Amino acid sequence: MNEILQGLLEAGRLIVAFDADLIEISLRSLHVTLTAVLVAATIGIPLGAWLAVKRFRHRRAAIATLNALMGLPPVVVGLIVYLMLSRSGPFGVFGLLFTPTAMIIAQVIILTPLVASIAHQAMREMWAEYHDLLISLNTTRSQRIRALVWDGRRALLTAALAGFGRGIGEVGAIMIVGGNIDHATRVLTTAIALETGKGEFALALALGFVLIGLAIAVNWFIHTLSRTEVSGRW
Amino acid sequence: MVTQSILPLRLEGACVRRNASVTIGPIDLELSAEGFTIVIGPNGAGKTTLLRMMHGMERLNAGAVTWAVPEVEARERQAFVFQVPVMMRRSVLENVAYPLRLHGWSRRKALDAAGTWLERIGLGDAAERMAPVLSGGERQKLALARALIRKPEILFLDEPCASLDGRAMREIEALLIEAHAEGTRIVMSTHDMGQARRLASDVLFVHRGAIEEAAPAEVFFKQAATRTARAFLRGDIVE
Amino acid sequence: MKRLVMAAILAGYAASAASADVMKMAVTTSFHNSGLSEILLPEIAADLELEVQLLVVGTGQAIRLGEAGDVDAILVHSRPAEEAFLAQGHGTHRTEIMYNDFVLIGPSSDPAGISGADSAATALVAIAETAATFASRGDDSGTHKKELALWTEAGIDEPARDVSWYKETGAGMGATLNTASGLDAYLMSDRASWLKFGNKGDLKLLFAGDPALFNQYAYLPVNPEKHGHVKADLAAKLEGWLVSDRARALIDGYQLEGEQLFTFNAGQN
């Protein structure tokens, strides 16, 4: 309990002092996860929408597989990406290992099924609502997807924010493919792991509170931007 | 040069089956270019399915539905108002403008045209409100405006006034009469015999998945040909 | 606020742009946790204009990274593993840099009574006989291999190390220390990691000094013939520095709680 209080105080102290290391790793955390969410949403949202409107033979299997991939253990993803990007691996020649780019790649793999699954469910429900009208209006598939995605954008935003939440707190994959190198690939979660391993619990907790605060700030900012709960809008 | 009308619509042996039983069919019918057709019949008779079949929303299990022009063309010149209208999750104005946007109209022009229509149907004040918060009557008026905004050649309506109060019903009927006068062919199902008498130029009586009687309105209402039709008009329960 | 953030970002970029040479080295957790790297790296950057990016992993993973060519050099402390690494042609040679020692840690009440033992072997026998909880690295690291060698020397083989008291964490030095602290268990740690550890709880250093607990660190550059892209020239530059008098001064001078942690011994074998 004492350590938790110490952690809170330490967090406050680091923030107020604009600790340079803290700012550096916080910005890197945001850079890695926000980029990964952007890519994951760019792939996942159209995929989810497409799966909702296109009927094909093995659709149920495809949806079930997509949902199951949400359970991919991050550390396993990290290991596989490491083997792919390793110098002895197929894509080693690009020299991406132990860079933020490798971390983004690993997170995209982890986040895309999550974003796509939630997007799919939202689009499925919207499609059930809009089905008769869009067919009667003789829309093309691309017009349908555009109408569903635009009108369902708040649910899709939630999908993206869910992806962000998963990504900002992830540590297993980015530890392996990033290497937690000081001033290069260290982020909040890997720094927390490092400090915990050193027994520096107060500092680890402090970083943890900063991480939580950051996640809350990002979510709050997005909701303000999209004017959630402003009267008449949802 | 006048473009060829999509009518007459011909149904030949058209059948729609759901599960093992036949929902409707076989239907043989020719829908002329003129007229305000009312489709009546007991619940479960197949009125909704008949309308959807004519509009091309049901997959046929047998027979054919043929327009006077190729189907791809015909699909563009019809509209349908559902019994429970679909309110897109956007403003009233954007809902009505949507069919125009699908057609490549610019946002500005589409919203302007939609605004004019909203004034015409009495929803001008509601233009910026979110469509799903509208009342039942307002929703149907919106659906009607949205259906008419592209000036379709034929308009199908499935019991559009089923849950409306008298005032809303009057407004909808007035709009339909106007649209009909401007040249739109109308095919509408209803439960309200008074409404049927007011609006119909001809009547289709549907019973147990078949068109039992098709006649001009004066003929049908004065002296229906079949026993079931007469019983139905009397107000008896027809199974 | 925005300006401070901008300044921090620019400073970060400037720092990485200034040292134009960058190389990657895999080091063991026990080396990193001692805090020595935080002393040495800035000096290396200043003296050689070389940024050394450290990957802090277990000995097994460090060797694996060297074999894959994902790093340019490794710094580990497990002679048999190093010899195997060289024998398979993954490294060019092995250079001893410094040594520290391992120590035996345990609960302050010392139920096995090892503080008065005359050798590491005696201490371990006492622990086994009292079946006092012992936390092992269990991760095939240099420290772990050393620990296993000591058990063998004490005549306590694997079946005798019963799971009821012998707990293998399969983790790094810090994590194992955490576990031992939580379990109030005995464990073997390198002195440096122990001194730097922040969660000692009720644990105390109970036994040290047996020459069998000697812990040699060696530097092995990855073989450029196997992996053409490794920065062999930078690795050589770093090696030159690590065996220099400058390094000797810094390594011997590094103290924690008044104790010298490492002893420089490059070029002495």
Side-chain angles (χ1 to χ4, degrees), chain A residues 55 125-126 129-139 143-144 146-148 150-153 232-234, chain B residues 52 55 57 59 72 75-76 78-80 82 86-90 94-95 98-99 102-103 130 132-133 146:
Chain A
R55 301 173 65 162
E125 281 163 24
M126 287 223 55
E129 245 183 77
Y130 280 25
H131 177 268
D132 277 353
L133 179 66
L134 292 183
I135 294 200
S136 167
L137 288 174
N138 205 25
T139 48
Q143 286 171 328
R144 289 170 196 178
R146 264 184 282 145
L148 293 180
W150 178 247
D151 281 8
R153 59 195 182 279
R233 314 207 148 263
W234 53 78
Chain B
R52 290 170 68 102
H55 184 42
M57 287 185 69
R59 198 170 319 148
V72 276
R75 294 206 116 270
E76 288 292 306
Q78 313 169 37
F80 201 112
F82 299 94
V86 177
M87 295 290 106
M88 295 177 79
R89 295 181 195 183
R90 35 181 91 173
E94 287 168 331
N95 260 272
Y98 185 62
L102 282 178
H103 252 75
M130 283 291 133
V133 308
R146 184 172 59 196

Short mmCIF file of all heavy atoms in Angstrom, two decimals, chain A residues 55 125-126 129-139 143-144 146-148 150-153 232-234, chain B residues 52 55 57 59 72 75-76 78-80 82 86-90 94-95 98-99 102-103 130 132-133 146:
data_model
loop_
_atom_site.label_atom_id
_atom_site.label_comp_id
_atom_site.label_asym_id
_atom_site.label_seq_id
_atom_site.Cartn_x
_atom_site.Cartn_y
_atom_site.Cartn_z
N ARG A 55 -22.10 -11.81 -48.64
CA ARG A 55 -22.43 -13.19 -48.25
C ARG A 55 -21.57 -14.14 -49.06
O ARG A 55 -21.50 -14.05 -50.26
CB ARG A 55 -23.90 -13.45 -48.52
CG ARG A 55 -24.81 -12.50 -47.77
CD ARG A 55 -26.22 -12.69 -48.19
NE ARG A 55 -26.68 -14.03 -47.80
CZ ARG A 55 -27.96 -14.36 -47.73
NH1 ARG A 55 -28.87 -13.47 -48.05
NH2 ARG A 55 -28.32 -15.58 -47.38
N GLU A 125 -24.96 -5.13 -37.22
CA GLU A 125 -26.22 -4.64 -36.66
C GLU A 125 -26.78 -3.50 -37.50
O GLU A 125 -27.98 -3.40 -37.72
CB GLU A 125 -26.00 -4.20 -35.20
CG GLU A 125 -25.97 -5.40 -34.27
CD GLU A 125 -25.36 -5.10 -32.91
OE1 GLU A 125 -25.37 -3.92 -32.50
OE2 GLU A 125 -24.87 -6.05 -32.28
N MET A 126 -25.87 -2.63 -37.96
CA MET A 126 -26.34 -1.54 -38.82
C MET A 126 -26.89 -2.08 -40.13
O MET A 126 -27.88 -1.56 -40.65
CB MET A 126 -25.19 -0.59 -39.12
CG MET A 126 -24.82 0.25 -37.94
SD MET A 126 -24.53 1.94 -38.39
CE MET A 126 -26.03 2.31 -39.21
N GLU A 129 -30.34 -3.18 -39.87
CA GLU A 129 -31.26 -2.04 -39.85
C GLU A 129 -31.47 -1.47 -41.24
O GLU A 129 -32.57 -1.12 -41.63
CB GLU A 129 -30.62 -0.93 -39.02
CG GLU A 129 -31.32 -0.55 -37.76
CD GLU A 129 -30.61 0.62 -37.08
OE1 GLU A 129 -30.78 1.76 -37.55
OE2 GLU A 129 -29.88 0.36 -36.11
N TYR A 130 -30.36 -1.33 -42.00
CA TYR A 130 -30.41 -0.60 -43.26
C TYR A 130 -30.70 -1.48 -44.47
O TYR A 130 -30.91 -0.98 -45.57
CB TYR A 130 -29.04 0.06 -43.50
CG TYR A 130 -28.81 1.34 -42.76
CD1 TYR A 130 -29.47 1.64 -41.58
CD2 TYR A 130 -27.90 2.26 -43.23
CE1 TYR A 130 -29.22 2.82 -40.91
CE2 TYR A 130 -27.65 3.44 -42.57
CZ TYR A 130 -28.31 3.72 -41.41
OH TYR A 130 -28.05 4.89 -40.75
N HIS A 131 -30.70 -2.76 -44.23
CA HIS A 131 -30.74 -3.74 -45.31
C HIS A 131 -31.81 -3.44 -46.37
O HIS A 131 -31.51 -3.25 -47.55
CB HIS A 131 -30.97 -5.10 -44.66
CG HIS A 131 -31.10 -6.22 -45.61
ND1 HIS A 131 -32.30 -6.67 -46.10
CD2 HIS A 131 -30.16 -7.00 -46.17
CE1 HIS A 131 -32.08 -7.68 -46.92
NE2 HIS A 131 -30.80 -7.91 -46.98
N ASP A 132 -33.07 -3.39 -45.94
CA ASP A 132 -34.16 -3.21 -46.90
C ASP A 132 -34.00 -1.91 -47.68
O ASP A 132 -34.14 -1.89 -48.91
CB ASP A 132 -35.51 -3.19 -46.17
CG ASP A 132 -36.03 -4.60 -45.90
OD1 ASP A 132 -35.40 -5.56 -46.40
OD2 ASP A 132 -37.05 -4.73 -45.22
N LEU A 133 -33.69 -0.84 -46.98
CA LEU A 133 -33.61 0.46 -47.64
C LEU A 133 -32.49 0.48 -48.68
O LEU A 133 -32.68 0.91 -49.82
CB LEU A 133 -33.37 1.57 -46.60
CG LEU A 133 -33.25 2.97 -47.21
CD1 LEU A 133 -34.57 3.38 -47.82
CD2 LEU A 133 -32.82 3.97 -46.15
N LEU A 134 -31.31 -0.02 -48.30
CA LEU A 134 -30.17 0.05 -49.21
C LEU A 134 -30.36 -0.84 -50.43
O LEU A 134 -29.90 -0.53 -51.53
CB LEU A 134 -28.87 -0.31 -48.48
CG LEU A 134 -28.43 0.71 -47.42
CD1 LEU A 134 -27.09 0.31 -46.81
CD2 LEU A 134 -28.32 2.10 -48.03
N ILE A 135 -31.08 -1.95 -50.24
CA ILE A 135 -31.34 -2.81 -51.39
C ILE A 135 -32.38 -2.14 -52.29
O ILE A 135 -32.25 -2.11 -53.52
CB ILE A 135 -31.80 -4.20 -50.94
CG1 ILE A 135 -30.65 -4.88 -50.21
CG2 ILE A 135 -32.30 -5.00 -52.11
CD1 ILE A 135 -30.75 -6.36 -50.12
N SER A 136 -33.41 -1.59 -51.64
CA SER A 136 -34.45 -0.93 -52.43
C SER A 136 -33.87 0.23 -53.24
O SER A 136 -34.30 0.48 -54.37
CB SER A 136 -35.54 -0.41 -51.49
OG SER A 136 -36.39 0.47 -52.18
N LEU A 137 -32.89 0.94 -52.68
CA LEU A 137 -32.29 2.07 -53.38
C LEU A 137 -31.25 1.63 -54.41
O LEU A 137 -30.58 2.47 -55.01
CB LEU A 137 -31.64 3.04 -52.37
CG LEU A 137 -32.61 3.86 -51.53
CD1 LEU A 137 -31.85 4.66 -50.48
CD2 LEU A 137 -33.40 4.82 -52.42
N ASN A 138 -31.10 0.33 -54.57
CA ASN A 138 -30.23 -0.18 -55.63
C ASN A 138 -28.77 0.25 -55.47
O ASN A 138 -28.10 0.64 -56.43
CB ASN A 138 -30.77 0.30 -57.00
CG ASN A 138 -30.34 -0.62 -58.11
OD1 ASN A 138 -30.08 -1.80 -57.89
ND2 ASN A 138 -30.25 -0.09 -59.32
N THR A 139 -28.28 0.19 -54.23
CA THR A 139 -26.91 0.62 -53.97
C THR A 139 -25.90 -0.45 -54.37
O THR A 139 -26.20 -1.64 -54.34
CB THR A 139 -26.72 0.87 -52.46
OG1 THR A 139 -27.25 -0.26 -51.75
CG2 THR A 139 -27.44 2.12 -52.02
N GLN A 143 -21.11 1.48 -52.03
CA GLN A 143 -21.99 2.51 -51.46
C GLN A 143 -22.56 2.04 -50.13
O GLN A 143 -22.71 2.83 -49.19
CB GLN A 143 -23.14 2.82 -52.42
CG GLN A 143 -22.72 3.64 -53.61
CD GLN A 143 -23.80 3.76 -54.67
OE1 GLN A 143 -24.61 2.85 -54.85
NE2 GLN A 143 -23.82 4.88 -55.35
N ARG A 144 -22.87 0.74 -50.06
CA ARG A 144 -23.41 0.22 -48.80
C ARG A 144 -22.39 0.34 -47.68
O ARG A 144 -22.69 0.80 -46.59
CB ARG A 144 -23.79 -1.26 -48.96
CG ARG A 144 -24.99 -1.45 -49.81
CD ARG A 144 -25.22 -2.89 -50.17
NE ARG A 144 -26.15 -2.98 -51.28
CZ ARG A 144 -26.53 -4.12 -51.85
NH1 ARG A 144 -26.06 -5.25 -51.40
NH2 ARG A 144 -27.37 -4.10 -52.84
N ARG A 146 -19.90 2.32 -47.47
CA ARG A 146 -19.68 3.72 -47.09
C ARG A 146 -20.80 4.24 -46.19
O ARG A 146 -20.53 4.94 -45.22
CB ARG A 146 -19.56 4.59 -48.34
CG ARG A 146 -18.10 4.82 -48.72
CD ARG A 146 -17.94 5.74 -49.88
NE ARG A 146 -18.21 5.06 -51.14
CZ ARG A 146 -18.79 5.66 -52.18
NH1 ARG A 146 -19.14 6.91 -52.12
NH2 ARG A 146 -18.99 4.99 -53.28
N ALA A 147 -22.05 3.90 -46.50
CA ALA A 147 -23.16 4.37 -45.66
C ALA A 147 -23.07 3.77 -44.26
O ALA A 147 -23.24 4.47 -43.26
CB ALA A 147 -24.49 3.99 -46.30
N LEU A 148 -22.75 2.47 -44.17
CA LEU A 148 -22.68 1.81 -42.86
C LEU A 148 -21.54 2.39 -42.04
O LEU A 148 -21.69 2.67 -40.84
CB LEU A 148 -22.46 0.31 -43.03
CG LEU A 148 -23.60 -0.51 -43.66
CD1 LEU A 148 -23.20 -1.97 -43.73
CD2 LEU A 148 -24.87 -0.36 -42.85
N TRP A 150 -20.03 5.30 -42.34
CA TRP A 150 -20.23 6.70 -41.92
C TRP A 150 -21.28 6.79 -40.82
O TRP A 150 -21.06 7.44 -39.80
CB TRP A 150 -20.64 7.55 -43.13
CG TRP A 150 -20.90 8.96 -42.76
CD1 TRP A 150 -22.08 9.63 -42.79
CD2 TRP A 150 -19.93 9.90 -42.25
NE1 TRP A 150 -21.92 10.91 -42.35
CE2 TRP A 150 -20.63 11.11 -42.01
CE3 TRP A 150 -18.56 9.84 -41.97
CZ2 TRP A 150 -19.99 12.25 -41.49
CZ3 TRP A 150 -17.94 10.97 -41.45
CH2 TRP A 150 -18.64 12.16 -41.23
N ASP A 151 -22.42 6.15 -41.01
CA ASP A 151 -23.46 6.25 -39.99
C ASP A 151 -23.09 5.51 -38.71
O ASP A 151 -23.58 5.85 -37.64
CB ASP A 151 -24.79 5.70 -40.54
CG ASP A 151 -25.50 6.69 -41.44
OD1 ASP A 151 -24.89 7.72 -41.75
OD2 ASP A 151 -26.64 6.42 -41.85
N GLY A 152 -22.25 4.53 -38.80
CA GLY A 152 -21.86 3.76 -37.63
C GLY A 152 -20.54 4.22 -37.04
O GLY A 152 -19.92 3.50 -36.27
N ARG A 153 -20.14 5.45 -37.39
CA ARG A 153 -18.78 5.85 -37.04
C ARG A 153 -18.50 5.88 -35.55
O ARG A 153 -17.37 5.67 -35.12
CB ARG A 153 -18.43 7.20 -37.67
CG ARG A 153 -19.33 8.35 -37.28
CD ARG A 153 -19.10 9.52 -38.25
NE ARG A 153 -19.90 10.68 -37.91
CZ ARG A 153 -21.16 10.84 -38.23
NH1 ARG A 153 -21.78 9.88 -38.89
NH2 ARG A 153 -21.82 11.93 -37.91
N GLY A 232 -28.36 16.17 -28.81
CA GLY A 232 -28.85 15.85 -30.14
C GLY A 232 -27.91 14.95 -30.91
O GLY A 232 -28.27 14.43 -31.96
N ARG A 233 -26.70 14.74 -30.41
CA ARG A 233 -25.78 13.88 -31.14
C ARG A 233 -25.43 12.68 -30.27
O ARG A 233 -25.50 12.75 -29.07
CB ARG A 233 -24.47 14.62 -31.47
CG ARG A 233 -24.72 15.98 -32.03
CD ARG A 233 -23.56 16.41 -32.94
NE ARG A 233 -24.11 17.25 -33.98
CZ ARG A 233 -24.42 16.80 -35.18
NH1 ARG A 233 -24.20 15.56 -35.50
NH2 ARG A 233 -24.94 17.60 -36.06
N TRP A 234 -25.05 11.59 -30.90
CA TRP A 234 -24.61 10.46 -30.09
C TRP A 234 -23.40 9.83 -30.76
O TRP A 234 -23.07 10.16 -31.86
CB TRP A 234 -25.72 9.43 -29.96
CG TRP A 234 -26.31 8.99 -31.24
CD1 TRP A 234 -25.79 8.11 -32.14
CD2 TRP A 234 -27.53 9.46 -31.80
NE1 TRP A 234 -26.61 7.99 -33.22
CE2 TRP A 234 -27.70 8.80 -33.05
CE3 TRP A 234 -28.50 10.37 -31.39
CZ2 TRP A 234 -28.79 9.01 -33.87
CZ3 TRP A 234 -29.57 10.57 -32.22
CH2 TRP A 234 -29.72 9.89 -33.45
N ARG B 52 -43.05 -6.65 -52.48
CA ARG B 52 -41.60 -6.82 -52.54
C ARG B 52 -41.20 -7.59 -53.78
O ARG B 52 -40.15 -7.34 -54.39
CB ARG B 52 -41.10 -7.53 -51.28
CG ARG B 52 -41.20 -6.67 -50.03
CD ARG B 52 -40.94 -7.47 -48.77
NE ARG B 52 -39.55 -7.90 -48.71
CZ ARG B 52 -38.63 -7.32 -47.96
NH1 ARG B 52 -38.93 -6.28 -47.21
NH2 ARG B 52 -37.39 -7.77 -47.95
N HIS B 55 -41.19 -5.31 -56.67
CA HIS B 55 -40.09 -4.35 -56.59
C HIS B 55 -38.73 -5.03 -56.84
O HIS B 55 -37.72 -4.37 -57.03
CB HIS B 55 -40.11 -3.69 -55.21
CG HIS B 55 -39.09 -2.61 -55.00
ND1 HIS B 55 -38.80 -1.66 -55.95
CD2 HIS B 55 -38.31 -2.32 -53.94
CE1 HIS B 55 -37.87 -0.83 -55.47
NE2 HIS B 55 -37.56 -1.21 -54.26
N MET B 57 -37.33 -7.32 -54.66
CA MET B 57 -36.58 -7.58 -53.43
C MET B 57 -36.69 -9.02 -52.96
O MET B 57 -36.10 -9.39 -51.96
CB MET B 57 -37.10 -6.66 -52.31
CG MET B 57 -36.66 -5.23 -52.52
SD MET B 57 -37.12 -4.18 -51.16
CE MET B 57 -36.06 -4.80 -49.89
N ARG B 59 -36.34 -13.15 -53.98
CA ARG B 59 -35.83 -14.06 -55.00
C ARG B 59 -36.96 -14.99 -55.42
O ARG B 59 -37.59 -15.62 -54.59
CB ARG B 59 -34.65 -14.86 -54.45
CG ARG B 59 -33.85 -15.47 -55.57
CD ARG B 59 -32.54 -16.07 -55.08
NE ARG B 59 -31.90 -15.22 -54.10
CZ ARG B 59 -31.17 -15.67 -53.11
NH1 ARG B 59 -30.98 -16.97 -52.97
NH2 ARG B 59 -30.62 -14.86 -52.25
N VAL B 72 -31.94 -3.66 -65.15
CA VAL B 72 -31.01 -2.69 -64.55
C VAL B 72 -31.55 -1.27 -64.64
O VAL B 72 -31.40 -0.46 -63.73
CB VAL B 72 -29.61 -2.73 -65.20
CG1 VAL B 72 -28.78 -3.81 -64.58
CG2 VAL B 72 -29.70 -2.91 -66.69
N ARG B 75 -34.71 -0.86 -62.24
CA ARG B 75 -34.41 -0.74 -60.81
C ARG B 75 -34.16 0.69 -60.39
O ARG B 75 -34.32 1.05 -59.24
CB ARG B 75 -33.18 -1.59 -60.47
CG ARG B 75 -33.41 -3.07 -60.62
CD ARG B 75 -32.51 -3.91 -59.73
NE ARG B 75 -33.30 -4.66 -58.76
CZ ARG B 75 -33.62 -4.19 -57.56
NH1 ARG B 75 -33.23 -3.01 -57.18
NH2 ARG B 75 -34.34 -4.92 -56.74
N GLU B 76 -33.73 1.48 -61.33
CA GLU B 76 -33.39 2.86 -60.99
C GLU B 76 -34.60 3.77 -60.91
O GLU B 76 -34.50 4.90 -60.44
CB GLU B 76 -32.43 3.43 -62.04
CG GLU B 76 -31.04 2.85 -61.95
CD GLU B 76 -30.35 3.30 -60.68
OE1 GLU B 76 -30.28 4.51 -60.45
OE2 GLU B 76 -29.90 2.44 -59.91
N GLN B 78 -37.76 3.10 -59.60
CA GLN B 78 -38.82 2.72 -58.68
C GLN B 78 -38.46 3.22 -57.30
O GLN B 78 -37.33 3.60 -57.05
CB GLN B 78 -38.95 1.20 -58.58
CG GLN B 78 -38.96 0.46 -59.86
CD GLN B 78 -38.83 -1.04 -59.60
OE1 GLN B 78 -39.37 -1.55 -58.62
NE2 GLN B 78 -38.11 -1.73 -60.44
N ALA B 79 -39.47 3.15 -56.40
CA ALA B 79 -39.17 3.45 -55.00
C ALA B 79 -40.13 2.65 -54.13
O ALA B 79 -41.18 2.21 -54.60
CB ALA B 79 -39.31 4.93 -54.72
N PHE B 80 -39.73 2.47 -52.87
CA PHE B 80 -40.54 1.65 -51.96
C PHE B 80 -40.60 2.33 -50.60
O PHE B 80 -39.58 2.79 -50.09
CB PHE B 80 -39.87 0.27 -51.81
CG PHE B 80 -40.78 -0.82 -51.33
CD1 PHE B 80 -41.13 -1.87 -52.17
CD2 PHE B 80 -41.27 -0.81 -50.03
CE1 PHE B 80 -41.97 -2.89 -51.73
CE2 PHE B 80 -42.10 -1.83 -49.59
CZ PHE B 80 -42.45 -2.89 -50.44
N PHE B 82 -41.50 1.38 -46.84
CA PHE B 82 -41.76 0.20 -46.01
C PHE B 82 -42.76 0.50 -44.91
O PHE B 82 -42.95 1.65 -44.50
CB PHE B 82 -40.46 -0.30 -45.39
CG PHE B 82 -39.45 -0.72 -46.40
CD1 PHE B 82 -38.49 0.17 -46.85
CD2 PHE B 82 -39.47 -2.00 -46.94
CE1 PHE B 82 -37.57 -0.21 -47.81
CE2 PHE B 82 -38.55 -2.38 -47.89
CZ PHE B 82 -37.60 -1.49 -48.34
N VAL B 86 -37.14 2.81 -42.65
CA VAL B 86 -35.78 2.79 -42.14
C VAL B 86 -35.29 4.23 -41.98
O VAL B 86 -35.22 4.99 -42.94
CB VAL B 86 -34.84 2.05 -43.11
CG1 VAL B 86 -33.41 2.11 -42.61
CG2 VAL B 86 -35.29 0.61 -43.28
N MET B 87 -34.98 4.60 -40.75
CA MET B 87 -34.41 5.92 -40.51
C MET B 87 -32.90 5.78 -40.44
O MET B 87 -32.36 5.13 -39.53
CB MET B 87 -34.91 6.49 -39.18
CG MET B 87 -36.41 6.77 -39.14
SD MET B 87 -36.86 8.16 -40.18
CE MET B 87 -37.62 7.33 -41.55
N MET B 88 -32.19 6.36 -41.43
CA MET B 88 -30.73 6.31 -41.37
C MET B 88 -30.28 7.20 -40.22
O MET B 88 -30.91 8.22 -39.92
CB MET B 88 -30.13 6.79 -42.68
CG MET B 88 -30.47 5.85 -43.83
SD MET B 88 -29.84 6.45 -45.40
CE MET B 88 -28.13 5.97 -45.27
N ARG B 89 -29.16 6.82 -39.59
CA ARG B 89 -28.71 7.55 -38.42
C ARG B 89 -28.02 8.85 -38.83
O ARG B 89 -26.82 9.03 -38.64
CB ARG B 89 -27.75 6.71 -37.58
CG ARG B 89 -28.42 5.50 -37.01
CD ARG B 89 -27.45 4.72 -36.17
NE ARG B 89 -27.93 3.38 -35.88
CZ ARG B 89 -27.30 2.52 -35.11
NH1 ARG B 89 -26.13 2.86 -34.58
NH2 ARG B 89 -27.79 1.33 -34.89
N ARG B 90 -28.79 9.69 -39.42
CA ARG B 90 -28.26 10.99 -39.79
C ARG B 90 -29.43 11.95 -39.75
O ARG B 90 -30.54 11.57 -39.40
CB ARG B 90 -27.59 10.96 -41.16
CG ARG B 90 -28.22 10.05 -42.17
CD ARG B 90 -27.49 10.07 -43.48
NE ARG B 90 -26.46 9.04 -43.53
CZ ARG B 90 -25.75 8.76 -44.63
NH1 ARG B 90 -25.94 9.45 -45.74
NH2 ARG B 90 -24.83 7.81 -44.62
N GLU B 94 -30.41 14.97 -44.40
CA GLU B 94 -29.48 14.06 -45.06
C GLU B 94 -30.17 12.77 -45.49
O GLU B 94 -29.82 12.18 -46.51
CB GLU B 94 -28.30 13.73 -44.12
CG GLU B 94 -27.35 14.89 -43.96
CD GLU B 94 -26.38 14.66 -42.80
OE1 GLU B 94 -26.74 13.96 -41.84
OE2 GLU B 94 -25.27 15.21 -42.87
N ASN B 95 -31.16 12.34 -44.72
CA ASN B 95 -31.91 11.15 -45.09
C ASN B 95 -32.59 11.33 -46.44
O ASN B 95 -32.51 10.49 -47.33
CB ASN B 95 -32.99 10.84 -44.04
CG ASN B 95 -32.57 9.76 -43.08
OD1 ASN B 95 -32.78 8.58 -43.32
ND2 ASN B 95 -31.94 10.17 -42.00
N TYR B 98 -30.22 11.52 -49.42
CA TYR B 98 -29.38 10.34 -49.69
C TYR B 98 -29.55 9.74 -51.09
O TYR B 98 -28.56 9.49 -51.77
CB TYR B 98 -29.60 9.28 -48.60
CG TYR B 98 -28.70 8.08 -48.73
CD1 TYR B 98 -27.31 8.20 -48.63
CD2 TYR B 98 -29.22 6.80 -48.96
CE1 TYR B 98 -26.48 7.10 -48.76
CE2 TYR B 98 -28.40 5.71 -49.08
CZ TYR B 98 -27.03 5.85 -48.98
OH TYR B 98 -26.21 4.76 -49.11
N PRO B 99 -30.80 9.52 -51.56
CA PRO B 99 -30.93 8.92 -52.91
C PRO B 99 -30.27 9.78 -53.98
O PRO B 99 -29.74 9.27 -54.96
CB PRO B 99 -32.44 8.82 -53.12
CG PRO B 99 -33.01 8.81 -51.76
CD PRO B 99 -32.13 9.68 -50.94
N LEU B 102 -26.55 9.25 -53.87
CA LEU B 102 -26.19 7.97 -54.48
C LEU B 102 -26.06 8.14 -55.98
O LEU B 102 -25.34 7.41 -56.65
CB LEU B 102 -27.28 6.93 -54.21
CG LEU B 102 -27.31 6.28 -52.84
CD1 LEU B 102 -28.48 5.32 -52.76
CD2 LEU B 102 -26.01 5.55 -52.58
N HIS B 103 -26.80 9.13 -56.49
CA HIS B 103 -26.81 9.33 -57.93
C HIS B 103 -25.79 10.31 -58.42
O HIS B 103 -25.86 10.74 -59.56
CB HIS B 103 -28.21 9.78 -58.37
CG HIS B 103 -28.80 8.65 -59.09
ND1 HIS B 103 -29.27 7.56 -58.41
CD2 HIS B 103 -28.86 8.38 -60.39
CE1 HIS B 103 -29.64 6.67 -59.32
NE2 HIS B 103 -29.40 7.14 -60.51
N MET B 130 -32.06 14.66 -35.75
CA MET B 130 -31.66 13.30 -36.10
C MET B 130 -32.91 12.51 -36.43
O MET B 130 -33.87 12.50 -35.68
CB MET B 130 -30.95 12.65 -34.92
CG MET B 130 -29.54 13.12 -34.75
SD MET B 130 -28.52 12.53 -36.11
CE MET B 130 -27.68 14.02 -36.52
N PRO B 132 -33.86 9.37 -36.32
CA PRO B 132 -34.46 8.39 -35.42
C PRO B 132 -35.29 8.99 -34.28
O PRO B 132 -35.99 8.25 -33.60
CB PRO B 132 -33.25 7.63 -34.86
CG PRO B 132 -32.22 7.75 -35.90
CD PRO B 132 -32.42 9.11 -36.48
N VAL B 133 -35.21 10.31 -34.05
CA VAL B 133 -36.03 10.84 -32.96
C VAL B 133 -37.41 11.30 -33.43
O VAL B 133 -38.22 11.75 -32.65
CB VAL B 133 -35.33 12.01 -32.21
CG1 VAL B 133 -33.94 11.61 -31.77
CG2 VAL B 133 -35.31 13.27 -33.03
N ARG B 146 -38.32 10.90 -49.26
CA ARG B 146 -37.10 10.24 -49.73
C ARG B 146 -37.41 9.37 -50.93
O ARG B 146 -36.61 9.25 -51.87
CB ARG B 146 -36.51 9.40 -48.60
CG ARG B 146 -35.20 8.73 -48.94
CD ARG B 146 -34.59 8.08 -47.71
NE ARG B 146 -35.45 7.08 -47.12
CZ ARG B 146 -35.30 6.58 -45.89
NH1 ARG B 146 -34.31 7.00 -45.12
NH2 ARG B 146 -36.13 5.67 -45.43
#
